[in-house]
Amino acid sequence: MKTLEINSIKELLKEQKEIIIVSHKNPDGDAIGSSLALQQYLKKLNQNPVIIVPNDYPEFLKWLPNTNSILKYEDDKEKANILISNAAIIFTLDFNAFHRTGDMMQILDSSSALKIMIDHHQQPENFATYMYSDTSMSSTCEMVYNFIAKMDNTNLIDKDIATCIYVGIMTDTGSFKYRSTTSITHKIVSSLIEKGANNTAIHNYVYNTNTYNRIQLLGKALNNLVFIEKYNTAYITLSQKELREHNYKKGDTEGIVNYALSLNRCKMAAIFIEDEKQGIIKISLRSKGDFSVNELSREHFDGGGHTNAAGGKSDLNLTETIAKFISILPKYEKTLEYEI
Ligand code: 5GP
Ligand code: MN
């Protein structure tokens, strides 16, 4: 984001305005963390922004400060539509295209509010007046930190803001180990700890609050794991019946795909989760090295994301989706070759 744009935003925020912060469907740690951090920062500038997310988010994020102020579009469309229609400024966080907001897409598209995008996904749509898009960033939370820094306001980062930013960086970097994690990411994390983020407690809240059902579901998923040696590709399936048997709750399948990727020689991993309500198979894809699951997902599964982590969907049934996935692998044989 250029100095000129930052100056314009500073000018805009001098007076109180109706501000909305929105993020993507099935919000994750980065979406919720960045939205809450930005909301609390803007409050310190005497603004009173409302966060609207399309639908519910995982239990393991509900301890975060001020989560009870988050409006879920699916719960109160009427109120959310009024707020969006009246908004002067809409911050769009952690997504690159309006369709990622599900049912909110239409109202966002038709809103005349000034839009400010903060996002790290590839191939962003051009809907924002001010666009802070950087695909090299570990997370939107890291970018919210940078945004606050560019506004010359790191002094306003308190324990709550630091905690929210920490959560998004931690969850989007697989606890600071993915390729997008840089020395600068670590410097930011260091300053977040100085400002009061309790790294051990945060880790425990997010990763050590499993339910018995969730661990059992993980066991089922691992039992369903298939490794296709020829293409260094692993995949996991979970049917609606299996989810029901383990009393599935939102967030329960988060991270399972990484077990598949952890297999020796595995270059790409996928998880296929049956969603009867939406009539789709939700797909999560992960890869190691230069193999781009963003490209694969865009081409075959109506999705996208990053080089090493992407998502998508399929309208076929579970068996047909797997068959389609397997049928496209030969096309990628060369790029799926394993190098150390
Ligand atoms: P996950 O597999 O954890 O749901 O998502 C991995 C990454 O891909 C995230 O950055 C997420 O925002 C993105 N992503 C997930 N599902 C979709 C999708 O259906 N379409 C697009 N464009 N991106 C997705
Ligand atoms: Mn993110």
Side-chain angles (χ1 to χ4, degrees):
M1 195 163 254
K2 296 179 200 83
T3 316
L4 213 64
E5 293 181 316
I6 285 289
N7 287 341
S8 311
I9 295 173
K10 273 187 186 162
E11 204 52 44
L12 273 173
L13 295 175
K14 271 191 180 150
E15 275 170 36
Q16 212 186 32
K17 301 222 160 61
E18 302 291 324
I19 301 179
I20 303 291
I21 299 169
V22 296
S23 197
H24 59 81
K25 198 172 168 186
N26 300 324
D28 56 6
D30 194 28
I32 297 295
S34 59
S35 299
L36 287 169
L38 182 67
Q39 180 196 41
Q40 287 159 81
Y41 161 64
L42 292 174
K43 277 190 177 170
K44 290 181 187 262
L45 302 183
N46 295 318
Q47 302 291 346
N48 195 17
V50 178
I51 300 172
I52 308 177
V53 294
N55 60 346
D56 202 9
Y57 49 92
E59 282 300 314
F60 61 75
L61 297 172
K62 292 191 176 164
W63 59 275
L64 274 164
N66 290 317
T67 43
N68 50 10
S69 76
I70 297 177
L71 192 64
K72 287 175 241 159
Y73 191 75
E74 66 177 4
D75 288 353
D76 202 342
K77 289 193 174 117
E78 217 165 300
K79 186 174 170 193
N81 282 338
I82 294 170
L83 284 165
I84 293 171
S85 307
N86 291 340
I89 304 175
I90 300 180
F91 282 89
T92 68
L93 299 192
D94 201 37
F95 66 90
N96 55 357
F98 276 146
H99 72 84
R100 297 280 296 127
T101 62
D103 292 344
M104 284 167 71
M105 176 176 168
Q106 231 105 56
I107 179 92
L108 285 175
D109 203 20
S110 61
S111 139
S112 58
L114 182 138
K115 301 190 183 76
I116 304 176
M117 175 200 272
I118 306 180
D119 179 53
H120 66 136
H121 291 90
Q122 291 175 349
Q123 290 115 322
E125 270 179 7
N126 199 8
F127 60 73
T129 313
Y130 299 115
M131 206 164 148
Y132 179 24
S133 159
D134 186 344
T135 59
S136 74
M137 283 286 152
S138 72
S139 53
T140 300
C141 272
E142 185 170 338
M143 299 174 77
V144 166
Y145 181 95
N146 289 342
F147 175 70
I148 297 173
K150 280 174 212 258
M151 297 280 287
D152 295 319
N153 283 147
T154 48
N155 59 312
L156 296 182
I157 299 179
D158 59 13
K159 182 180 176 175
D160 281 355
I161 297 177
T163 300
C164 294
I165 297 179
Y166 189 100
V167 164
I169 299 180
M170 179 184 80
T171 52
D172 258 29
T173 58
S175 297
F176 320 106
K177 64 178 177 289
Y178 297 157
R179 286 207 297 182
S180 55
T181 315
T182 63
S183 62
I184 295 165
T185 316
H186 280 282
K187 281 192 185 126
I188 291 173
V189 168
S190 157
S191 88
L192 296 175
I193 293 173
E194 273 168 18
K195 287 180 183 296
N198 183 335
N199 51 319
T200 311
I202 294 172
H203 194 278
N204 279 331
Y205 279 131
V206 174
Y207 294 117
N208 296 335
T209 48
N210 279 318
T211 57
Y212 181 81
N213 273 318
R214 188 178 179 199
I215 302 268
Q216 291 287 304
L217 181 66
L218 170 64
K220 185 75 225 170
L222 298 180
N223 252 308
N224 293 348
L225 173 68
V226 175
F227 187 48
I228 310 169
E229 260 177 64
K230 186 171 181 202
Y231 299 111
N232 301 307
T233 293
Y235 71 86
I236 289 172
T237 56
L238 280 172
S239 68
Q240 193 72 63
K241 182 168 171 283
E242 289 165 333
L243 295 172
R244 255 195 313 269
E245 279 166 5
H246 296 93
N247 196 20
Y248 167 79
K249 296 254 169 13
K250 199 149 211 106
D252 282 356
T253 54
E254 202 99 352
I256 293 182
V257 65
N258 296 314
Y259 286 90
L261 191 68
S262 74
L263 271 169
N264 187 25
R265 300 189 70 84
C266 181
K267 188 98 183 248
M268 169 168 61
I271 186 166
F272 300 91
I273 300 168
E274 190 176 29
D275 183 338
E276 266 172 359
K277 202 169 130 199
Q278 289 194 68
I280 59 160
I281 307 298
K282 181 73 194 134
I283 307 166
S284 278
L285 295 151
R286 299 291 184 269
S287 66
K288 290 180 193 145
D290 292 333
F291 186 83
S292 174
V293 283
N294 171 49
E295 297 301 329
L296 184 139
S297 188
R298 271 174 192 276
E299 199 164 330
H300 304 282
F301 294 111
D302 194 19
H306 314 281
T307 304
N308 295 135
K313 62 177 192 297
S314 157
D315 296 326
L316 305 169
N317 69 30
L318 194 51
T319 317
E320 290 163 352
T321 303
I322 300 299
K324 175 177 170 181
F325 180 67
I326 292 173
S327 78
I328 63 175
L329 295 178
K331 196 180 151 196
Y332 296 95
E333 185 167 4
K334 215 68 227 114
T335 38
L336 281 170
E337 265 173 22
Y338 191 81
E339 333 95 55
I340 294 176

